[in-house]
Short mmCIF file of all heavy atoms in Angstrom, two decimals:
data_model
loop_
_atom_site.label_atom_id
_atom_site.label_comp_id
_atom_site.label_asym_id
_atom_site.label_seq_id
_atom_site.Cartn_x
_atom_site.Cartn_y
_atom_site.Cartn_z
N GLY A 1 194.41 88.40 182.25
CA GLY A 1 194.21 88.73 183.63
C GLY A 1 194.51 90.23 183.94
O GLY A 1 194.37 90.62 185.09
N THR A 2 194.84 91.03 182.90
CA THR A 2 195.22 92.39 183.21
C THR A 2 194.23 93.38 182.59
O THR A 2 194.26 94.60 182.91
CB THR A 2 196.63 92.74 182.66
OG1 THR A 2 196.63 92.62 181.24
CG2 THR A 2 197.66 91.81 183.28
N CYS A 3 193.35 92.96 181.71
CA CYS A 3 192.37 93.84 181.08
C CYS A 3 191.01 93.19 181.15
O CYS A 3 190.83 91.98 181.26
CB CYS A 3 192.71 94.08 179.63
SG CYS A 3 193.97 95.33 179.34
N SER A 4 189.97 94.03 181.09
CA SER A 4 188.59 93.56 180.96
C SER A 4 187.96 94.15 179.74
O SER A 4 188.38 95.18 179.22
CB SER A 4 187.79 93.96 182.21
OG SER A 4 187.75 95.37 182.36
N TYR A 5 186.94 93.43 179.25
CA TYR A 5 186.22 93.89 178.06
C TYR A 5 185.02 94.82 178.47
O TYR A 5 184.42 94.58 179.49
CB TYR A 5 185.66 92.69 177.26
CG TYR A 5 186.72 91.79 176.71
CD1 TYR A 5 187.04 90.55 177.27
CD2 TYR A 5 187.51 92.21 175.55
CE1 TYR A 5 188.02 89.74 176.75
CE2 TYR A 5 188.47 91.35 175.00
CZ TYR A 5 188.72 90.14 175.64
OH TYR A 5 189.66 89.32 175.08
N LYS A 6 184.83 95.79 177.56
CA LYS A 6 183.64 96.63 177.75
C LYS A 6 182.86 96.69 176.44
O LYS A 6 183.48 96.66 175.37
CB LYS A 6 184.14 98.09 178.17
CG LYS A 6 184.95 98.15 179.43
CD LYS A 6 185.33 99.58 179.75
CE LYS A 6 184.14 100.48 179.97
NZ LYS A 6 184.56 101.89 180.25
N GLY A 7 181.56 96.83 176.60
CA GLY A 7 180.72 96.96 175.40
C GLY A 7 180.26 95.65 174.83
O GLY A 7 181.09 94.75 174.54
N ASN A 8 178.97 95.56 174.60
CA ASN A 8 178.42 94.30 174.05
C ASN A 8 178.17 94.35 172.55
O ASN A 8 177.66 93.40 172.02
CB ASN A 8 177.12 93.93 174.79
CG ASN A 8 177.36 93.00 175.92
OD1 ASN A 8 178.02 91.97 175.81
ND2 ASN A 8 176.76 93.31 177.10
N TYR A 9 178.53 95.48 171.95
CA TYR A 9 178.35 95.63 170.49
C TYR A 9 179.64 95.83 169.75
O TYR A 9 179.77 95.40 168.59
CB TYR A 9 177.38 96.76 170.19
CG TYR A 9 175.98 96.47 170.71
CD1 TYR A 9 175.54 96.84 171.98
CD2 TYR A 9 175.05 95.77 169.95
CE1 TYR A 9 174.29 96.57 172.46
CE2 TYR A 9 173.79 95.44 170.39
CZ TYR A 9 173.39 95.87 171.66
OH TYR A 9 172.14 95.58 172.12
N SER A 10 180.63 96.44 170.37
CA SER A 10 181.97 96.57 169.80
C SER A 10 182.96 96.35 170.93
O SER A 10 182.66 96.52 172.11
CB SER A 10 182.17 97.96 169.17
OG SER A 10 182.06 98.94 170.14
N ILE A 11 184.15 95.94 170.57
CA ILE A 11 185.16 95.54 171.53
C ILE A 11 185.96 96.76 171.99
O ILE A 11 186.58 97.49 171.21
CB ILE A 11 186.11 94.49 170.97
CG1 ILE A 11 185.38 93.31 170.46
CG2 ILE A 11 187.14 94.04 172.07
CD1 ILE A 11 186.29 92.24 169.79
N SER A 12 186.02 97.01 173.27
CA SER A 12 186.93 97.97 173.86
C SER A 12 187.50 97.33 175.12
O SER A 12 186.90 96.44 175.72
CB SER A 12 186.19 99.26 174.16
OG SER A 12 185.18 99.08 175.10
N LEU A 13 188.68 97.82 175.46
CA LEU A 13 189.44 97.24 176.61
C LEU A 13 189.66 98.28 177.68
O LEU A 13 189.90 99.46 177.41
CB LEU A 13 190.81 96.69 176.11
CG LEU A 13 190.77 95.56 175.07
CD1 LEU A 13 192.17 95.34 174.55
CD2 LEU A 13 190.20 94.34 175.71
N LYS A 14 189.66 97.75 178.94
CA LYS A 14 190.04 98.60 180.10
C LYS A 14 191.12 97.90 180.84
O LYS A 14 191.00 96.76 181.24
CB LYS A 14 188.81 98.74 181.00
CG LYS A 14 189.09 99.57 182.24
CD LYS A 14 187.88 99.73 183.15
CE LYS A 14 188.17 100.48 184.39
NZ LYS A 14 186.99 100.60 185.29
N LEU A 15 192.23 98.65 181.02
CA LEU A 15 193.36 98.07 181.76
C LEU A 15 193.01 98.02 183.25
O LEU A 15 192.60 99.02 183.84
CB LEU A 15 194.64 98.95 181.51
CG LEU A 15 195.91 98.48 182.21
CD1 LEU A 15 196.36 97.17 181.60
CD2 LEU A 15 196.99 99.50 182.10
N GLU A 16 193.22 96.84 183.84
CA GLU A 16 192.92 96.66 185.29
C GLU A 16 194.15 96.58 186.13
O GLU A 16 194.16 96.89 187.27
CB GLU A 16 192.06 95.37 185.45
CG GLU A 16 190.78 95.35 184.67
CD GLU A 16 189.70 96.27 185.23
OE1 GLU A 16 189.94 96.87 186.29
OE2 GLU A 16 188.60 96.37 184.63
N LYS A 17 195.29 96.03 185.54
CA LYS A 17 196.51 95.84 186.27
C LYS A 17 197.68 96.32 185.53
O LYS A 17 197.84 95.97 184.31
CB LYS A 17 196.66 94.36 186.61
CG LYS A 17 195.58 93.80 187.51
CD LYS A 17 195.87 92.29 187.78
CE LYS A 17 194.79 91.68 188.61
NZ LYS A 17 195.00 90.21 188.83
N GLY A 18 198.57 97.09 186.14
CA GLY A 18 199.82 97.46 185.46
C GLY A 18 199.68 98.72 184.59
O GLY A 18 198.75 99.50 184.67
N LYS A 19 200.65 98.87 183.74
CA LYS A 19 200.72 100.06 182.84
C LYS A 19 200.76 99.59 181.39
O LYS A 19 200.83 98.44 181.12
CB LYS A 19 201.98 100.85 183.20
CG LYS A 19 201.95 101.45 184.62
CD LYS A 19 203.21 102.22 184.88
CE LYS A 19 203.23 102.78 186.30
NZ LYS A 19 204.46 103.56 186.59
N ILE A 20 200.75 100.61 180.50
CA ILE A 20 200.65 100.32 179.07
C ILE A 20 201.99 100.69 178.37
O ILE A 20 202.52 101.76 178.62
CB ILE A 20 199.51 101.13 178.42
CG1 ILE A 20 198.18 100.73 179.03
CG2 ILE A 20 199.49 100.88 176.89
CD1 ILE A 20 196.98 101.53 178.53
N HIS A 21 202.47 99.75 177.54
CA HIS A 21 203.61 100.03 176.73
C HIS A 21 203.13 100.48 175.34
O HIS A 21 202.16 99.92 174.78
CB HIS A 21 204.45 98.76 176.57
CG HIS A 21 205.53 98.85 175.51
ND1 HIS A 21 206.69 99.57 175.69
CD2 HIS A 21 205.61 98.33 174.28
CE1 HIS A 21 207.46 99.47 174.62
NE2 HIS A 21 206.82 98.73 173.78
N SER A 22 203.74 101.53 174.82
CA SER A 22 203.34 102.04 173.46
C SER A 22 204.39 101.65 172.44
O SER A 22 205.62 101.86 172.68
CB SER A 22 203.20 103.56 173.46
OG SER A 22 202.04 103.90 174.23
N ILE A 23 203.92 101.09 171.31
CA ILE A 23 204.82 100.83 170.19
C ILE A 23 204.91 102.12 169.36
O ILE A 23 203.88 102.62 168.87
CB ILE A 23 204.30 99.63 169.33
CG1 ILE A 23 204.55 98.37 170.11
CG2 ILE A 23 205.05 99.60 168.02
CD1 ILE A 23 204.15 97.13 169.35
N ASN A 24 206.08 102.63 169.14
CA ASN A 24 206.25 103.87 168.34
C ASN A 24 206.64 103.47 166.96
O ASN A 24 207.53 102.64 166.76
CB ASN A 24 207.34 104.73 168.96
CG ASN A 24 206.90 105.23 170.34
OD1 ASN A 24 205.80 105.70 170.49
ND2 ASN A 24 207.81 105.14 171.33
N PRO A 25 205.97 104.10 165.98
CA PRO A 25 206.23 103.75 164.56
C PRO A 25 207.51 104.40 164.05
O PRO A 25 207.47 105.25 163.18
CB PRO A 25 205.00 104.26 163.86
CG PRO A 25 204.56 105.40 164.67
CD PRO A 25 204.91 105.06 166.10
N ASN A 26 208.65 103.98 164.59
CA ASN A 26 209.91 104.63 164.19
C ASN A 26 210.61 103.89 163.08
O ASN A 26 211.76 104.14 162.81
CB ASN A 26 210.82 104.71 165.43
CG ASN A 26 211.08 103.38 166.05
OD1 ASN A 26 210.54 102.38 165.65
ND2 ASN A 26 211.85 103.34 167.19
N PHE A 27 209.87 102.95 162.45
CA PHE A 27 210.36 102.34 161.25
C PHE A 27 209.55 102.84 160.07
O PHE A 27 208.85 103.80 160.24
CB PHE A 27 210.30 100.82 161.33
CG PHE A 27 209.25 100.25 162.21
CD1 PHE A 27 207.98 100.03 161.76
CD2 PHE A 27 209.47 100.07 163.58
CE1 PHE A 27 206.97 99.50 162.58
CE2 PHE A 27 208.47 99.58 164.44
CZ PHE A 27 207.26 99.30 163.88
N LYS A 28 209.60 102.27 158.93
CA LYS A 28 208.92 102.76 157.75
C LYS A 28 207.50 103.04 158.07
O LYS A 28 206.78 102.19 158.62
CB LYS A 28 209.03 101.77 156.55
CG LYS A 28 210.44 101.68 155.96
CD LYS A 28 210.49 100.77 154.78
CE LYS A 28 211.88 100.68 154.17
NZ LYS A 28 211.92 99.78 153.03
N ILE A 29 207.00 104.17 157.61
CA ILE A 29 205.70 104.69 158.12
C ILE A 29 204.58 103.75 157.95
O ILE A 29 203.74 103.51 158.81
CB ILE A 29 205.44 106.05 157.46
CG1 ILE A 29 204.16 106.70 158.11
CG2 ILE A 29 205.20 105.95 155.97
CD1 ILE A 29 203.97 108.15 157.78
N LYS A 30 204.49 103.07 156.80
CA LYS A 30 203.30 102.18 156.57
C LYS A 30 203.40 100.93 157.31
O LYS A 30 202.40 100.27 157.59
CB LYS A 30 203.19 101.91 155.06
CG LYS A 30 201.83 101.29 154.66
CD LYS A 30 201.65 101.26 153.20
CE LYS A 30 200.25 100.76 152.84
NZ LYS A 30 200.02 100.76 151.39
N ASN A 31 204.60 100.55 157.75
CA ASN A 31 204.76 99.25 158.41
C ASN A 31 204.62 99.38 159.92
O ASN A 31 204.69 98.40 160.61
CB ASN A 31 206.13 98.67 158.06
CG ASN A 31 206.16 98.19 156.65
OD1 ASN A 31 205.14 97.82 156.08
ND2 ASN A 31 207.35 98.21 156.04
N GLY A 32 204.49 100.61 160.43
CA GLY A 32 204.45 100.78 161.90
C GLY A 32 203.08 100.94 162.48
O GLY A 32 202.95 101.26 163.66
N TYR A 33 202.06 100.76 161.68
CA TYR A 33 200.73 101.03 162.17
C TYR A 33 199.78 99.86 161.82
O TYR A 33 199.97 99.14 160.86
CB TYR A 33 200.13 102.30 161.44
CG TYR A 33 200.85 103.58 161.70
CD1 TYR A 33 202.02 103.86 161.01
CD2 TYR A 33 200.35 104.51 162.59
CE1 TYR A 33 202.66 105.08 161.27
CE2 TYR A 33 200.98 105.71 162.85
CZ TYR A 33 202.13 105.98 162.13
OH TYR A 33 202.79 107.15 162.37
N ILE A 34 198.74 99.72 162.61
CA ILE A 34 197.57 98.94 162.14
C ILE A 34 196.95 99.72 160.97
O ILE A 34 196.76 100.95 161.04
CB ILE A 34 196.49 98.82 163.24
CG1 ILE A 34 197.00 97.92 164.36
CG2 ILE A 34 195.19 98.25 162.69
CD1 ILE A 34 196.06 97.83 165.52
N LEU A 35 196.66 99.05 159.87
CA LEU A 35 196.05 99.68 158.72
C LEU A 35 194.57 99.28 158.71
O LEU A 35 194.20 98.16 158.55
CB LEU A 35 196.75 99.21 157.44
CG LEU A 35 198.25 99.48 157.37
CD1 LEU A 35 198.81 98.99 156.03
CD2 LEU A 35 198.55 100.94 157.52
N SER A 36 193.73 100.30 158.94
CA SER A 36 192.27 100.07 158.94
C SER A 36 191.71 100.50 157.61
O SER A 36 191.82 101.74 157.23
CB SER A 36 191.64 100.85 160.08
OG SER A 36 190.24 100.70 160.04
N TYR A 37 191.07 99.61 156.86
CA TYR A 37 190.58 99.94 155.54
C TYR A 37 189.06 100.14 155.58
O TYR A 37 188.29 99.30 156.02
CB TYR A 37 190.87 98.82 154.54
CG TYR A 37 192.33 98.83 154.13
CD1 TYR A 37 193.28 98.25 154.95
CD2 TYR A 37 192.71 99.49 153.00
CE1 TYR A 37 194.62 98.27 154.58
CE2 TYR A 37 194.09 99.54 152.65
CZ TYR A 37 195.00 98.91 153.42
OH TYR A 37 196.35 98.98 153.07
N ILE A 38 188.58 101.27 155.13
CA ILE A 38 187.18 101.57 155.03
C ILE A 38 186.71 101.17 153.61
O ILE A 38 187.17 101.66 152.59
CB ILE A 38 186.88 103.06 155.25
CG1 ILE A 38 187.37 103.50 156.59
CG2 ILE A 38 185.39 103.36 155.07
CD1 ILE A 38 187.21 104.97 156.85
N GLU A 39 185.80 100.20 153.56
CA GLU A 39 185.32 99.72 152.25
C GLU A 39 184.30 100.62 151.67
O GLU A 39 183.43 101.20 152.37
CB GLU A 39 184.72 98.33 152.44
CG GLU A 39 185.70 97.26 152.88
CD GLU A 39 186.81 97.01 151.88
OE1 GLU A 39 186.53 96.99 150.65
OE2 GLU A 39 187.96 96.88 152.31
N ASN A 40 184.38 100.81 150.36
CA ASN A 40 183.45 101.79 149.66
C ASN A 40 182.01 101.51 149.94
O ASN A 40 181.19 102.38 150.09
CB ASN A 40 183.79 101.78 148.21
CG ASN A 40 183.10 102.90 147.43
OD1 ASN A 40 183.01 104.00 147.94
ND2 ASN A 40 182.61 102.61 146.24
N ASP A 41 181.65 100.21 149.95
CA ASP A 41 180.19 99.87 150.04
C ASP A 41 179.65 99.96 151.46
O ASP A 41 178.48 99.73 151.70
CB ASP A 41 179.91 98.49 149.45
CG ASP A 41 180.71 97.40 150.12
OD1 ASP A 41 181.50 97.71 151.04
OD2 ASP A 41 180.54 96.21 149.74
N THR A 42 180.52 100.24 152.44
CA THR A 42 180.09 100.40 153.84
C THR A 42 180.10 101.79 154.32
O THR A 42 179.73 102.10 155.47
CB THR A 42 180.92 99.54 154.81
OG1 THR A 42 182.25 100.06 154.79
CG2 THR A 42 180.94 98.06 154.37
N VAL A 43 180.56 102.73 153.48
CA VAL A 43 180.71 104.14 153.91
C VAL A 43 179.38 104.84 153.77
O VAL A 43 178.71 104.81 152.78
CB VAL A 43 181.76 104.87 153.06
CG1 VAL A 43 181.80 106.35 153.48
CG2 VAL A 43 183.11 104.24 153.32
N LYS A 44 178.94 105.56 154.87
CA LYS A 44 177.76 106.31 154.86
C LYS A 44 178.06 107.71 155.42
O LYS A 44 178.82 107.87 156.33
CB LYS A 44 176.63 105.70 155.71
CG LYS A 44 176.19 104.36 155.15
CD LYS A 44 175.14 103.73 156.11
CE LYS A 44 174.70 102.35 155.59
NZ LYS A 44 173.69 101.72 156.48
N ASN A 45 177.49 108.74 154.86
CA ASN A 45 177.69 110.15 155.35
C ASN A 45 179.17 110.45 155.46
O ASN A 45 179.62 111.01 156.46
CB ASN A 45 176.97 110.32 156.64
CG ASN A 45 175.48 110.05 156.54
OD1 ASN A 45 174.89 110.39 155.61
ND2 ASN A 45 174.90 109.44 157.57
N PHE A 46 179.95 110.17 154.40
CA PHE A 46 181.41 110.29 154.49
C PHE A 46 181.92 111.55 153.88
O PHE A 46 183.10 111.86 153.90
CB PHE A 46 182.02 109.07 153.78
CG PHE A 46 183.38 108.68 154.33
CD1 PHE A 46 183.48 108.33 155.68
CD2 PHE A 46 184.46 108.60 153.54
CE1 PHE A 46 184.73 107.96 156.19
CE2 PHE A 46 185.71 108.25 154.04
CZ PHE A 46 185.81 107.91 155.40
#
């Protein structure tokens, strides 16, 4: 009830109510982030 979706091809969010809390990666560097993996067979013009 606080965000709405935008985009019919990829997911993005728009906050409608309240404010945003940020998680700070103040623990071990690799464990504090979403890890996004780019696969070799999907990379173009890289």
Side-chain angles (χ1 to χ4, degrees):
T2 64
C3 281
S4 61
Y5 295 105
K6 298 178 65 179
N8 266 311
Y9 294 92
S10 62
I11 306 176
S12 61
L13 297 171
K14 179 182 178 182
L15 182 66
E16 303 286 358
K17 297 179 182 179
K19 298 180 180 179
I20 299 174
H21 170 74
S22 291
I23 288 182
N24 295 313
N26 54 2
F27 27 90
K28 289 184 179 180
I29 188 166
K30 194 169 185 180
N31 290 331
Y33 298 79
I34 292 176
L35 303 179
S36 176
Y37 285 83
I38 300 175
E39 296 296 320
N40 190 39
D41 58 358
T42 64
V43 175
K44 297 179 181 179
N45 301 320
F46 210 56

